[in-house]
């Protein structure tokens, strides 16, 4: 049976409302609570928006079982040295319940906020590959010195290191070939939205996500890893509503994903104020479909 996780937006105001949502998700039996690691979100530019790391730290001390993570951290504004220190600290605070989602990042507000020049898709992919290599090294070694093209570390200490060994699990967001290659090399999990856009019909969505999963399997084979060595996660976009049209349709949705080798589905946690979450009234049937 596929695990169920949820993404809680970091815009809850006051921030204790975020903690309450995480606690509710834990009580419901969800595997992981993710939150977006952005500095702003275009759809909510004029609303409160809080930083993911302190929110996750607060959630860690307010919970005891549910796993916690970013979805996803990118090189757009995070340097591997400082981020690795924050990851290690969060893993310690949570008692080893941290999952870190990482990705190449889009050419959006987070990519421009530090005044960096625009980058095309290839440049972002190459930057991500270097960023991820250094992050992996920082999280697995007590002291790191690396001088790279874009990112460097000089006598960077990671003591006492992560609770989880050899490091915190990395969930790599990937759709294109370069990012899938990075997922196959460094990831303990892979996350995808599948084809973007709510106008994609269900059959096209399934074909697209199946093609992505098959491409990951090929990259894992090249990397010498088993197809089952990477946990496969679907993060449902806010505009993908058709799986929730009925209990039968959601059950079929889960069955088809399971047949393709997926392990987990992540939804946006329900919120009554603006509809940016799981549709009202379907949480109970969704929980039941996952055996919760």
């Amino acid at each position: 049976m596929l695990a169920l996780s949820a993404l809680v937006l970091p815009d809850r105001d006051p921030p204790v409302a975020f903690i309450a949502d995480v606690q509710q998700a834990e009580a419901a039996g969800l595997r992981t609570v993710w939150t977006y690691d952005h500095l702003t979100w275009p759809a909510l530019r004029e609303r409160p928006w809080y930083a993911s790391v302190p929110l996750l730290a607060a959630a860690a001390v307010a919970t005891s079982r549910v796993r916690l993570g970013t979805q996803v951290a990118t090189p757009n504004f995070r340097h591997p040295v400082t981020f690795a220190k924050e990851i290690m600290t969060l893993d310690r605070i949570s008692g080893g319940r941290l999952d870190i989602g990482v990705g190449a990042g889009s050419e959006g507000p987070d990519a421009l906020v530090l005044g960096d020049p625009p980058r095309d898709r290839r440049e972002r992919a190459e930057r991500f590959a270097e960023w991820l290599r250094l992050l992996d090294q920082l999280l697995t070694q007590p002291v790191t010195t690396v001088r790279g093209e874009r990112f460097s570390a000089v006598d960077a200490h990671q003591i006492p290191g992560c609770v989880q060994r050899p490091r915190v699990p990395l969930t790599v967001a990937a759709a294109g070939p370069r990012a899938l290659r990075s997922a196959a090399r460094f990831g303990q999990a892979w996350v995808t939205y599948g084809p973007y856009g709510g106008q994609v019909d269900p059959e096209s969505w399934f074909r697209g996500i199946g093609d992505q999963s098959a491409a990951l399997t090929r990259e894992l084979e090249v990397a010498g890893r088993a197809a089952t060595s990477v946990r496969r996660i679907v993060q449902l976009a806010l505009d993908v509503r058709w799986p929730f049209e009925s209990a039968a349709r959601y059950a079929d949705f889960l069955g088809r994903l399971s047949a393709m080798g997926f392990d987990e589905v992540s939804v946006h946690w329900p919120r009554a104020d603006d509809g940016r979450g799981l549709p009202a009234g379907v949480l109970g049937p969704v929980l039941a479909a996952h055996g919760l």
Side-chain angles (χ1 to χ4, degrees):
M1 184 174 292
L2 273 69
L4 178 65
S5 295
L7 195 150
V8 177
L9 294 178
D11 67 328
R12 309 302 273 163
D13 197 37
V16 291
F18 174 90
I19 308 305
D21 282 348
V22 176
Q23 290 173 321
Q24 290 170 13
E26 179 179 57
L30 273 65
R31 180 187 188 273
T32 308
V33 170
W34 308 95
T35 195
Y36 283 132
D37 188 51
H38 297 303
L39 294 179
T40 187
W41 210 36
L44 301 174
R45 294 183 67 93
E46 307 306 320
R47 290 183 51 166
W49 188 270
Y50 295 101
S52 64
V53 170
L55 285 179
L56 291 174
V61 299
T63 56
S64 61
R65 182 201 57 80
V66 71
R67 296 187 65 80
L68 304 164
T70 55
Q71 199 72 281
V72 296
T74 78
N76 277 341
F77 63 88
R78 292 211 177 271
H79 191 283
V81 170
T82 52
F83 191 42
K85 183 70 75 172
E86 291 175 331
I87 290 171
M88 182 266 287
T89 304
L90 280 174
D91 198 43
R92 289 276 163 181
I93 292 171
S94 69
R97 291 184 287 127
L98 187 65
D99 282 289
I100 290 296
V102 294
S106 64
E107 195 56 39
D110 286 346
L112 305 174
V113 70
L114 298 182
D116 291 344
R119 294 177 174 86
D120 60 29
R121 184 175 299 178
R122 178 172 182 171
E123 289 174 316
R124 292 198 302 273
E126 291 173 348
R127 178 184 64 165
F128 177 57
E130 180 183 341
W131 183 87
L132 190 54
R133 284 194 302 272
L134 180 52
L135 185 67
D136 172 71
Q137 186 170 343
L138 286 159
L139 290 172
T140 53
Q141 297 184 3
V143 183
T144 298
T145 295
V146 170
R147 296 191 180 274
E149 181 181 348
R150 303 168 184 84
F151 302 103
S152 297
V154 179
D155 196 31
H157 283 57
Q158 279 285 98
I159 299 172
C162 300
V163 173
Q164 301 174 89
R165 296 293 181 173
R167 57 158 166 72
V168 166
L170 296 178
T171 296
V172 182
R178 291 184 182 88
L180 285 167
R181 199 168 302 128
S182 292
R185 180 176 177 186
F186 295 105
Q188 284 64 59
W190 163 62
V191 64
T192 178
Y193 275 99
Y196 281 90
Q199 299 307 311
V200 176
D201 67 90
E203 291 305 315
S204 296
W205 188 91
F206 278 115
R207 283 195 299 272
I209 208 164
D211 289 345
Q212 291 176 357
S213 186
L216 175 64
T217 297
R218 291 192 295 271
E219 292 295 345
L220 286 167
E221 183 178 359
V222 171
R225 300 179 66 187
T228 56
S229 64
V230 169
R231 185 175 184 85
R232 301 178 192 228
I233 305 168
V234 172
Q235 172 64 59
L236 284 176
L238 280 171
D239 53 6
V240 176
R241 298 283 173 146
W242 50 264
F244 309 113
E245 291 174 353
S246 69
R249 184 148 204 187
Y250 191 71
D252 177 72
F253 168 76
L254 293 184
R256 294 181 69 170
L257 287 179
S258 180
M260 285 191 281
F262 281 88
D263 303 285
E264 181 178 335
V265 173
S266 179
V267 299
H268 286 76
W269 189 247
R271 44 196 286 161
D273 54 348
D274 58 11
R276 290 187 173 90
L278 199 68
V282 305
L283 178 59
V286 166
L287 291 173
H290 290 270
L292 302 174

